[in-house]
Amino acid sequence: MWIDLETKTTEQLKIRLHHPNNHFHHYCGFGLHIVSEFECPELSPIAAAHSSPDVVIRVGFVPSILEGQQLDDGFSQVKPDAYLLRLDNIANYYVTNGCEIVVQPHAGCSDNLIRLYLFSQCIGALLHQRHQLILHASAIATDQGALIFMGPSGSGKSTLAAGLIDAGYKLLAEDLCALEFSPGRGFQVLPGMAQLRLWHDTIQQLGHNKKLMQRVWQKEDKYSRLLQDELASVPTALRMIYLLNPGDVENVDITPLSMPEMTAAIVKNVFRGEYTQALGVQKRLFRQTAELIRAGQICQLTRPKNGFSLINQITLLQKVHSL
């Protein structure tokens, strides 16, 4: 699929990108109509629409330096309305104005690895540019509303989401959770990507068939499970956000958080929060966080850090929310 850009002139590339016979794939995700020059099995396919898309993902030339950058961490260069990610031997990505992602792949890199960064850092930067609230979290849709699970890596976000999906609930988000606020409806969780990424030991504990999954990256024992049939089809009103807390305890418990604790939890779990100042979205993020705190929809779910307490977590959530 990926062309060798070094053999193409700029004019040839422009002709290829805009020729009416070229085939683009149409998807929905995060409440957006996304048109992509390559296949994205993580997103939900839709019929081609006559209206202009919200987001275009295409192959193209990416600048080597982001002029006027306000942050450079060695991989990412950031300024308001522009994000540049350069990864040796994988691809370079250029995200602008919340509406376009240009990908310049390196020769020989697999599509799977290129999409790994496309649908993490890059789509996260694009959603920030579109002024959405983005959490590093998983989310599940229930009849009582959306349940969000956030916390550091290894806290069990994807494991709990996978267990709830096995129990019959629908997936809303994994790793990157987008929320939209309106005064009349409050916060809605937008359906994101139709996949879960699980570690090998979690797959064994859940009893899933690893042969039906794809390894995310050869350097990690982590696998991707596509879930097109299990993805929620519409935004879901927020019911509760849970901060997952593996601790030295024997039982699973849910406890309320104080307002300072809620604030700290949200700020700490904003997706790529270290980029928000350079992206120019901190004031907007402050207002969105204040709305979440005002709603008081954040608790802490503590579980034993040793052992496998998934069934107990699910049972407690079903009891608390009358699921």
Side-chain angles (χ1 to χ4, degrees), residues 149 156-165 244 301 310 313-314 317:
F149 309 108
K157 301 183 294 294
S158 296
T159 301
L160 183 49
L164 285 163
I165 291 168
L244 301 187
L301 192 157
L310 179 61
Q313 295 175 58
I314 293 174
L317 290 170

Side-chain angles (χ1 to χ4, degrees), residues 69-281:
Q69 62 185 258
Q70 297 185 11
L71 182 148
D72 184 349
D73 63 8
F75 297 98
S76 298
Q77 299 174 34
V78 191
K79 69 176 182 178
D81 294 326
Y83 172 78
L84 175 65
L85 175 65
R86 300 181 61 85
L87 298 172
D88 292 341
N89 303 317
I90 299 176
N92 300 330
Y93 308 82
Y94 187 43
V95 185
T96 53
N97 300 310
C99 64
E100 184 178 61
I101 302 176
V102 181
V103 183
Q104 183 176 349
H106 288 277
C109 187
S110 70
D111 288 4
N112 290 337
L113 188 53
I114 291 169
R115 292 200 314 273
L116 176 64
Y117 291 94
L118 173 62
F119 291 117
S120 53
Q121 284 100 314
C122 295
I123 200 72
L126 181 138
L127 294 173
H128 275 308
Q129 291 171 354
R130 296 185 70 90
H131 298 170
Q132 291 184 356
L133 175 58
I134 315 299
L135 297 178
H136 181 209
S138 298
I140 294 293
T142 76
D143 291 341
Q144 302 299 318
L147 304 181
I148 294 177
F149 309 108
M150 63 185 188
S153 297
S155 60
K157 301 183 294 294
S158 296
T159 301
L160 183 49
L164 285 163
I165 291 168
D166 288 348
Y169 303 99
K170 293 290 187 179
L171 175 69
L172 278 165
E174 193 261 350
D175 191 55
L176 194 157
C177 180
L179 295 94
E180 190 172 65
F181 176 79
S182 64
R185 297 186 303 170
F187 280 97
Q188 302 272 320
V189 181
L190 305 175
M193 292 178 289
Q195 72 170 2
L196 276 176
R197 288 175 288 199
L198 302 170
W199 294 101
H200 172 71
D201 57 349
T202 300
I203 294 169
Q204 288 186 315
Q205 291 167 331
L206 291 168
H208 292 174
N209 186 352
K210 192 175 74 173
K211 293 181 180 179
L212 301 178
M213 306 173 73
Q214 191 167 46
R215 193 161 188 167
V216 174
W217 192 13
Q218 293 305 314
K219 294 184 179 182
E220 294 182 343
D221 202 15
K222 201 171 191 179
Y223 298 81
S224 175
R225 173 186 170 190
L226 292 177
L227 297 165
Q228 290 288 354
D229 293 337
E230 291 84 4
L231 183 69
S233 59
V234 295
T236 304
L238 175 63
R239 178 63 185 270
M240 186 64 67
I241 299 175
Y242 286 100
L243 177 64
L244 301 187
N245 176 39
D248 294 317
V249 297
E250 296 182 358
N251 300 309
V252 177
D253 192 23
I254 293 173
T255 54
L257 295 176
S258 66
M259 291 189 70
E261 289 171 332
M262 286 192 284
T263 303
I266 294 298
V267 171
K268 190 172 183 179
N269 287 282
V270 168
F271 189 85
R272 294 294 173 184
E274 66 271 25
Y275 297 157
T276 57
Q277 182 174 354
L279 284 167
V281 298

Side-chain angles (χ1 to χ4, degrees), residues 25-27 31-36 46-57 98-99 130:
H25 305 273
H26 293 253
Y27 301 97
L32 304 171
H33 173 198
I34 301 172
V35 170
S36 174
I46 58 173
H50 295 294
S51 59
S52 298
D54 299 302
V55 177
V56 174
I57 302 173
C99 64
R130 296 185 70 90

